Amino acid sequence: MYTKAELLKFYNMELNSLLKEAQKYLKNEFEFCSIISARTGKCSQNCRYCAQSSHYNTEIETHPLLEVQTVVDAAKDSVKNSADRVAIVTSGKTPDESDFDRMLEMIKALNAEGIKSCASIGILNEEQAKLLAQNGLVRFHHNINTCKSYHPQICTTHTYEDRINTVKLVQKYGIELCCGVIIGMGETIEQRIEMAMELAEINPESIPVNILTPIPNTPFESYIDKIDEENVLRTLAVFKIACPNSSIRLAGGKKSRLSLESIEKAFSHCVDSTIVGNYLTTTGFTPSEDVKLIQKVGRKITNLQLV
């Protein structure tokens, strides 16, 4: 693993040199994934970036847990849009006991359709992690969101350690791990380096990197200037260098925070995958737009369905 000083040196390199350094670790294949918001809103946690928190009056549309067939139908549409895997995403700190059995049914139904199942359903206890593994969950998504030193500025209703405990449980039971961050929430450059080092220690299969989209009526509604496009690219590149075996996945904020030029630089130098379609409460490119951008930079899409 690189030291903090070494990664800071990379971060501060001339940008094109940094991007070329990160490019050394890219494979030609590029992966799409998709998410389904199976339960939206009314979350008890006070994450200061989040439209779904019940602590803030963001006036988003909410809904309880969807039916299994609704999720399966949406997942099939995602696969038609070239998604390799589909994530069931639910709001809330932890899976509701009353909903957990239905979540397991969703996972089994996706696997039965030949769709790689992924779930993002909150903080787990050991029994829940064990049951997810027994029911065939392929990958679990659980972000650290930010580095340990900055976490108290992001959320106070759960701890960084709560998130790490879930990460360890997922890995203990042999489920693939998708674990990333949100950048542009007021963290320093040094704290972005800390994120890279903490993710390298976790060593997840996938690292989704979200760029904060400030949501009105949340504490971070005015944080549009906390990161610029160049520093997004620098962060993505350093993550790729620090975590060469992980897939760096450009996620939320791609369309709202980056120019086409910056997206093309990311796709060609430091990003292995992206979320296709819409992202919970914010919107993204259409699948065909993503396909065109990736093909333009000469990458091969692993599950290309669109023409």
Side-chain angles (χ1 to χ4, degrees), residues 100 104 124-134 169 173:
F100 192 63
L104 296 178
L124 301 177
N125 60 40
E126 183 143 8
E127 182 63 20
Q128 289 166 335
K130 182 178 179 180
L131 285 170
L132 288 170
Q134 290 175 344
L169 283 173
Y173 285 98

Side-chain angles (χ1 to χ4, degrees), residues 90-106:
T90 59
S91 58
K93 179 179 180 180
T94 190
D96 289 346
E97 185 175 345
S98 59
D99 288 341
F100 192 63
D101 286 345
R102 194 189 304 177
M103 294 176 188
L104 296 178
E105 291 301 316
M106 291 176 185

Side-chain angles (χ1 to χ4, degrees), residues 21-119:
E21 184 68 28
Q23 193 177 38
K24 295 176 183 178
Y25 302 101
L26 285 188
K27 296 179 180 179
N28 186 45
E29 292 79 14
F30 196 99
E31 184 189 69
F32 281 170
C33 71
S34 185
I35 61 178
I36 298 167
S37 186
R39 184 177 63 220
T40 302
K42 298 183 179 180
C43 180
S44 64
Q45 303 305 284
N46 68 352
C47 302
R48 291 171 180 157
Y49 57 83
C50 190
Q52 300 199 56
S53 172
S54 61
H55 292 255
Y56 319 123
N57 183 25
T58 58
E59 299 181 352
I60 63 166
E61 291 186 16
T62 65
H63 62 77
L65 191 66
L66 299 176
E67 296 299 325
V68 173
Q69 191 59 49
T70 302
V71 169
V72 171
D73 291 343
K76 288 180 178 179
D77 286 340
S78 294
V79 171
K80 291 177 183 177
N81 289 328
S82 303
D84 291 86
R85 64 184 73 246
V86 179
I88 300 162
V89 181
T90 59
S91 58
K93 179 179 180 180
T94 190
D96 289 346
E97 185 175 345
S98 59
D99 288 341
F100 192 63
D101 286 345
R102 194 189 304 177
M103 294 176 188
L104 296 178
E105 291 301 316
M106 291 176 185
I107 290 162
K108 290 187 287 187
L110 292 185
N111 290 338
E113 294 288 342
I115 301 169
K116 296 175 185 174
S117 58
C118 179

Side-chain angles (χ1 to χ4, degrees), residues 253-305:
K254 177 176 66 180
K255 181 177 182 179
S256 62
R257 299 300 307 273
L258 296 178
S259 65
L260 288 177
E261 180 183 3
S262 292
I263 295 169
E264 288 175 13
K265 285 182 179 179
F267 283 173
S268 59
H269 291 90
C270 50
V271 166
D272 308 278
S273 51
T274 194
I275 295 179
V276 65
N278 293 338
Y279 324 125
L280 297 178
T281 57
T282 60
T283 57
F285 288 102
T286 66
S288 61
E289 287 174 327
D290 276 319
V291 167
K292 289 177 182 177
L293 282 170
I294 292 158
Q295 291 179 329
K296 182 179 178 181
V297 302
R299 303 286 293 280
K300 179 184 177 182
I301 299 167
T302 58
N303 186 39
L304 181 61
Q305 301 292 320

